[in-house]
Amino acid sequence: MKITAATRALTALAQETRLGIVRLLVKVGPSGLVAGQIALRLKLAPATSSFHLSQLTQAGLIKPSREGRSIRYSPVLSTIGELLAFLEENLSGGPTEKTAVKSTAKSAVKSTAKAASGAVKAAPAKKKAARKSR
């Protein structure tokens, strides 16, 4: 994958709604979903979903096909696979760095999860203390 295509795809995915659309379509598989189903499942207004679907189509991550009065959107799995390969190839210099990157990422995820669970546990204690002081 060329860097311009990768940049275009990453730019499209760097938005929460568009990332959600691609995730949904990848889960559904090659058959995809019609635009109305996408909007319904993600609780989007039709105009909003239309805008984001257009952006993803232009980036080459999804493809539209007309079905009567509806448009069905399917993930372009080959492009998504090329993007993943591009990232893996260009974000690591070799097996040693790949392992280090994966290890660092796993550590970051674990520490974030630990911090989040600690915050959840601390919240009830604060509520109890607030109730007692009343």
Side-chain angles (χ1 to χ4, degrees):
M1 173 175 265
K2 293 185 179 183
I3 196 160
T4 53
T7 302
R8 189 171 50 245
L10 289 169
T11 300
L13 290 172
Q15 201 283 335
E16 189 175 337
T17 301
R18 291 193 287 268
L19 182 59
I21 291 170
V22 171
R23 289 179 66 205
L24 173 64
L25 291 175
V26 167
K27 283 180 186 176
V28 169
S31 61
L33 293 169
V34 295
Q37 290 174 327
I38 295 169
L40 188 64
R41 288 191 185 190
L42 296 177
K43 299 177 183 161
L44 301 172
T48 301
S49 66
S50 178
F51 170 77
H52 291 300
L53 291 167
S54 173
Q55 296 293 309
L56 291 167
T57 299
Q58 289 175 9
L61 295 167
I62 63 173
K63 66 178 178 187
S65 57
R66 182 149 299 276
E67 258 186 28
R69 294 175 62 180
S70 300
I71 299 176
R72 178 173 293 274
Y73 290 91
S74 304
V76 181
L77 298 175
S78 60
T79 301
I80 295 168
E82 287 175 23
L83 179 60
L84 292 172
F86 174 87
L87 290 171
E88 184 176 10
E89 182 179 311
N90 288 282
L91 295 181
S92 65
T96 305
E97 286 188 33
K98 283 182 187 178
T99 304
V101 168
K102 286 180 182 177
S103 156
T104 303
K106 284 181 183 177
S107 296
V109 169
K110 285 181 182 177
S111 64
T112 303
K114 214 180 248 187
S117 69
V120 170
K121 289 177 184 175
K126 287 182 182 177
K127 285 182 182 178
K128 286 179 184 176
R131 285 186 197 141
K132 287 181 182 178
S133 65
R134 290 183 190 172

